[in-house]
């Protein structure tokens, strides 16, 4: 059975998990990966990957500036703000 | 007319009553509000609405119509939206604590298009958190009930949209579909639900779950409602580089034309789908009757093979969770989301805010998606799934060389009981077996009501068409609708 290092993966995802959550996910995701395992036996030699189902590539437009939100509407949902900027806890001591 | 006599009328019928002057948008909107106020405590389809705003929009619509300046066929018709579609000035929670207080600063493109058509955009519909789920049970704001049986789920993730429509609480609703999130709840609730071709409808203002799979689409009481709603929604959008410049046709007129003048169609039954042990006998019986009906009107039914169909669920869940883990990285506690109050420093804000803000299923998928993208596993899982995605696409290309449309059940079983599957994620994922291929391949698909299992539970079938062949899809759905009246039955509420 494939093993997910839940602690390491959660760290990559910047996601705090409780001990109970880690145990729950560890068991469940092990079973789900086992189910995914069927993919590994499929012969895909000479096959190109599909990233999306759309025939479009490199959609370009004229590089013209258009009006956007001002600071007010853009910051209206910020948990904390000051002087038209998002306020966060101190990063550098 | 009172609220109950209007409740189940199709939107196109209501639009004709508005046009003839037999009904005003104010009367219609008042009845919609009264019914929602009366029923929502039982069904919990709506997370909320602004009644004053709806009535103000209705008055403006009536004024336009009086001045002979109606903006379109659906001017004055209320349309309620799944709460992952942005409406300026309205809460956009995605069923998550993470966005509990988030007010959208802009309108989604589909909202702009509906407003330009005179439609009354109102009501925030419940959904699985960030559209991750098949039962509307992962919502932070409580689960939604199936109007046909309140102990059962309406399906998901657009369960609120399906339940509101099926309960007669809004004549048209919108949902989003990443792996069946429109079609599965439509089948569970006995109504129509359409997932357009990938790129047909702009995703601008739809909160992203899995960007290569997501599409917005309508729920309706009849084929005409769905066809006409597609005319409002479709079109290329410079704000969504994946939207495709396909010509938008008057679907509702074209399908009638195709029905009267067209040749009988050839429908393909995937042999693999009917071998499944998991197919409920009631669904199998309903499918037999659908096949018999189409044969009866002179259409041809042909077996087709989709040899890679057993790989669809694992392929889908690798790709969908990978894309979700990337998309949901934006919810970081810094700029516009829930921010933990117990974080010790700036980096801890990420960990704690995300840990507190996301629910169990969303966290599970973020972990899974992060894992399949992580160094050492990327090729074995994510790249492999993209390769198999090509094989699945090739299966359908080959099938469409032989048949006009593919015909399948929408779901393996009718609506299941609330709480029954929520503790077993793998069993929940397997419920999507018939609906995920159109997302992986970008093909358009519709769920059509086709009868009832025991206990009065609706059953639906699915039609899948080649890319941008929505008219073909709607024509076949309409051909069925003409000889069957399942869509006219409604739950006793």
């Amino acid at each position: 059975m494939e093993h997910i290092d839940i602690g390491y993966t959660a760290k990559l995802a910047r996601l705090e998990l409780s001990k109970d959550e880690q145990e729950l996910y560890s068991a469940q995701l092990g079973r789900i990966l086992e189910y995914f395992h069927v993919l590994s036996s499929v012969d895909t030699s000479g096959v190109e990957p599909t990233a999306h189902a759309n025939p479009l590539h490199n959609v370009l437009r004229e590089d013209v500036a258009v009006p956007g939100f001002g600071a007010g509407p853009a910051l209206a949902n910020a948990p904390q703000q000051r002087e038209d900027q998002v306020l966060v806890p101190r990063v550098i001591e | 007319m009172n609220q109950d006599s209007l409740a189940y009328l199709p939107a196109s019928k209501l639009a004709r009553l508005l046009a003839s002057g037999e009904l005003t948008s104010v009367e219609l909107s008042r009845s919609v509000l009264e019914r929602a106020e009366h029923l929502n405590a039982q069904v919990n389809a709506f997370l909320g609405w602004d009644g004053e705003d709806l009535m103000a929009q209705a008055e403006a619509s009536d004024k336009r119509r009086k001045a002979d300046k109606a903006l379109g066929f659906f001017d004055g018709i209320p349309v309620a939206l799944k709460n992952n579609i942005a409406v300026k000035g309205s809460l956009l929670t995605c069923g998550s604590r993470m966005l509990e207080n988030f007010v959208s600063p802009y309108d989604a493109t589909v909202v702009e298009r509906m407003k330009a058509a005179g439609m009354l955009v109102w009501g925030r519909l419940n959904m699985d958190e960030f559209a991750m789920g098949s039962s509307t049970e992962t919502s932070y704001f409580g689960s939604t009930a199936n109007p046909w049986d309140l102990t059962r789920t309406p399906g998901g993730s657009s369960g609120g949209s399906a339940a509101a429509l099926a309960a007669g609480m809004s004549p048209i609703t919108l949902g989003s579909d990443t792996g069946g999130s429109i079609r599965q709840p439509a089948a569970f609730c006995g109504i129509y639900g359409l997932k357009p071709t990938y790129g047909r409808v702009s995703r601008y203002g739809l909160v992203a779950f899995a960007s290569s799979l997501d599409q917005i689409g309508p729920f309706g009481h009849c084929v005409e409602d769905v066809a006409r709603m597609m005319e409002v929604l479709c079109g290329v959008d410079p704000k969504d580089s994946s939207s495709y410049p396909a010509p938008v046709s008057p679907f509702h007129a074209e399908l009638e034309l195709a029905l009267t003048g067209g040749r009988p169609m050839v429908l393909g039954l995937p042999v693999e789908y009917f071998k499944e042990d998991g197919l409920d006998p009631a669904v199998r019986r309903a499918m037999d009757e659908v096949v018999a009906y189409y044969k009866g009107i002179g259409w041809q039914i042909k077996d087709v093979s989709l040899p890679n169909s057993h790989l669809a669920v694992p392929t889908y869940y690798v790709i969908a969770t990978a894309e979700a883990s990337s998309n949901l990285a934006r919810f970081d506690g810094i700029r516009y989301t829930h921010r933990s109050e117990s974080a010790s420093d700036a980096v801890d804000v990420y960990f704690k805010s995300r840990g507190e803000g996301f629910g169990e299923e969303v966290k599970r998928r973020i972990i899974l998606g992060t894992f399949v993208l992580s160094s050492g596993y990327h090729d074995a899982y994510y790249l492999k799934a993209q390769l198999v995605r090509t094989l699945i696409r090739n299966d359908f290309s080959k099938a469409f060389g032989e048949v006009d449309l593919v015909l399948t059940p929408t779901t393996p079983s009718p609506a299941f009981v609330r709480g029954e599957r929520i503790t077993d994620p793998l069993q929940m994922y397997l419920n999507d077996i018939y609906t995920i291929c159109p997302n992986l391949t970008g093909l358009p698909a519709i769920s059509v009501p086709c009868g009832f299992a025991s206990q009065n539970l609706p059953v639906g079938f699915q039609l899948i068409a080649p890319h941008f062949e929505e008219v073909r899809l709607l024509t076949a759905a309409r051909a069925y609708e003409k000889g069957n009246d399942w869509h006219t039955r409604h739950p006793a509420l």
Side-chain angles (χ1 to χ4, degrees):
Chain A
M1 195 162 110
E2 190 86 62
H3 174 72
I4 297 190
D5 184 339
I6 298 284
Y8 172 71
T9 311
K11 209 171 161 190
L12 289 178
R14 303 287 184 271
L15 183 60
E16 186 171 278
L17 297 179
S18 68
K19 204 161 172 284
D20 287 351
E21 285 175 320
Q22 294 207 21
E23 279 170 19
L24 177 73
Y25 292 154
S26 189
Q28 288 175 336
L29 296 181
R31 277 207 309 282
I32 291 170
L33 283 188
E34 204 172 74
Y35 178 68
F36 285 179
H37 204 67
V38 62
L39 295 177
S40 65
S41 57
V42 182
D43 180 8
T44 49
S45 46
V47 175
E48 291 289 318
T50 296
H52 62 85
N54 197 310
L56 292 170
H57 298 281
N58 294 334
V59 179
L60 303 174
R61 62 168 169 79
E62 292 300 311
D63 187 12
V64 181
V66 291
F69 303 133
L75 288 169
N77 288 294
Q80 282 183 288
Q81 56 166 299
R82 195 169 70 198
E83 295 163 27
D84 281 351
Q85 296 181 61
V86 174
L87 191 65
V88 295
R90 182 184 295 274
V91 179
I92 301 162
E93 290 300 328
Chain B
M1 290 193 215
N2 66 24
Q3 51 151 292
D4 294 326
S5 65
L6 289 176
Y8 296 117
L9 289 185
S12 43
K13 172 103 186 185
L14 292 168
R16 289 193 186 91
L17 292 174
L18 290 174
S20 67
E22 289 164 83
L23 178 71
T24 67
S25 181
V26 163
E27 287 167 342
L28 171 60
S29 300
R30 194 173 295 133
S31 92
V32 161
L33 272 179
E34 276 172 17
R35 199 166 161 90
E37 279 160 10
H38 170 60
L39 290 175
N40 200 49
Q42 292 175 63
V43 181
N44 196 34
F46 286 89
L47 295 172
W49 58 75
D50 183 341
E52 271 176 42
D53 179 65
L54 175 63
M55 294 314 296
Q57 292 186 62
E59 279 169 29
S61 168
D62 285 339
K63 254 186 213 149
R64 280 195 298 273
R65 207 174 274 282
K66 227 174 173 178
D68 227 6
K69 284 183 177 153
L71 295 170
F73 179 75
F74 276 150
D75 196 326
I77 299 291
V79 52
L81 314 188
K82 185 175 184 179
N83 205 206
N84 59 353
I85 301 172
V87 179
K88 188 175 179 177
S90 180
L91 281 168
L92 181 63
T93 64
C94 296
S96 182
R97 183 184 181 198
M98 187 57 104
L99 293 173
E100 191 174 6
N101 301 308
F102 182 85
V103 176
S104 176
Y106 66 93
D107 277 337
T109 295
V110 291
V111 170
E112 282 180 356
R113 295 183 70 97
M114 291 188 291
K115 285 181 175 172
M119 298 189 77
L120 320 183
V121 175
W122 82 293
R124 301 181 296 106
L125 293 163
N126 200 10
M127 55 185 284
D128 280 301
E129 185 179 4
F130 286 107
M132 297 178 193
S134 309
S135 63
T136 318
E137 290 174 291
T138 70
S139 170
Y140 177 65
F141 305 102
S143 63
T144 297
N146 189 317
W148 290 90
D149 176 349
L150 299 174
T151 68
R152 291 177 188 262
T153 116
S157 66
S158 313
S161 310
L165 189 98
M169 297 155 86
S170 186
I172 282 274
T173 60
L174 291 192
S176 67
D177 190 316
T178 304
S181 284
I182 290 173
R183 291 157 288 149
Q184 182 251 25
F188 280 9
C189 293
I191 56 176
Y192 292 89
L194 186 145
K195 182 202 85 80
T197 307
Y198 184 79
R200 258 292 189 199
V201 176
S202 170
R203 293 183 293 112
Y204 180 76
L206 170 69
V207 178
F209 161 11
S211 304
S212 81
L213 308 164
D214 298 338
Q215 271 287 283
I216 295 170
F219 290 89
H221 284 299
C222 67
V223 175
E224 184 185 358
D225 286 7
V226 172
R228 288 193 182 263
M229 200 57 213
M230 285 292 289
E231 292 164 28
V232 176
L233 299 175
C234 289
V236 70
D237 177 12
K239 290 174 182 157
D240 173 5
S241 59
S242 68
S243 75
Y244 192 78
V248 178
S249 45
F251 297 113
H252 77 280
E254 281 192 10
L255 78 90
E256 292 299 337
L257 210 65
L259 212 54
T260 46
R263 64 185 169 82
M265 287 200 226
V266 183
L267 307 182
L269 283 181
V271 287
E272 293 81 4
Y273 286 15
F274 292 88
K275 280 184 201 149
E276 297 291 338
D277 299 332
L279 189 57
D280 187 280
V283 177
R284 192 180 288 272
R285 201 162 50 242
M287 290 308 296
D288 288 343
E289 285 168 17
V290 170
V291 166
Y293 175 81
Y294 277 120
K295 280 183 180 164
I297 60 166
W299 290 20
Q300 199 186 327
I301 305 287
K302 209 171 154 180
D303 282 345
V304 290
S305 178
L306 302 172
N308 293 294
S309 57
H310 64 294
L311 305 172
V313 173
T315 302
Y316 172 82
Y317 275 95
V318 170
I319 289 170
T321 57
E323 292 186 15
S325 73
S326 168
N327 273 325
L328 269 60
R330 73 192 61 175
F331 303 111
D332 56 7
I334 301 291
R335 294 159 300 159
Y336 49 78
T337 58
H338 166 77
R339 184 186 287 181
S340 172
E341 299 195 344
S342 62
S344 57
D345 57 39
V347 176
D348 202 34
V349 168
Y350 299 145
F351 282 92
K352 287 220 164 62
S353 302
R354 289 163 64 78
E356 293 168 8
F358 291 133
E360 182 186 318
E361 179 63 23
V362 173
K363 287 185 203 174
R364 183 158 40 238
R365 294 199 195 192
I366 289 174
I367 295 291
L368 193 53
T370 303
F371 174 77
V372 299
L373 288 176
S374 64
S375 174
Y377 298 100
H378 173 278
D379 287 5
Y381 290 99
Y382 183 62
L383 180 62
K384 190 72 185 183
Q386 288 193 319
L387 294 167
V388 177
R389 188 177 184 179
T390 305
L391 299 180
I392 292 169
R393 202 182 59 182
N394 294 346
D395 284 356
F396 277 88
S397 302
K398 190 159 169 279
F400 286 128
E402 301 168 34
V403 298
D404 296 306
L405 294 160
V406 170
L407 169 64
T408 81
T410 306
T411 58
S413 71
F416 47 90
V417 172
R418 293 160 84 180
E420 192 183 77
R421 298 192 187 172
I422 195 71
T423 52
D424 187 346
L426 187 55
Q427 204 196 353
M428 193 71 99
Y429 298 171
L430 289 170
N431 186 61
D432 302 337
I433 188 153
Y434 303 125
T435 48
I436 52 189
C437 284
N439 301 84
L440 288 170
T441 54
L443 298 167
I446 191 170
S447 181
V448 176
C450 66
F452 292 85
S454 59
Q455 298 161 306
N456 226 15
L457 297 176
V459 176
F461 71 85
Q462 174 178 243
L463 290 163
I464 307 170
H467 292 110
F468 301 105
E469 294 288 352
E470 275 84 355
V471 170
R472 196 185 296 178
L473 205 61
L474 292 161
T475 304
R478 178 76 186 116
Y480 181 81
E481 185 181 62
K482 281 187 117 164
N484 294 279
D485 64 358
W486 306 114
H487 64 289
T488 64
R489 310 216 187 156
H490 304 296
L493 277 167

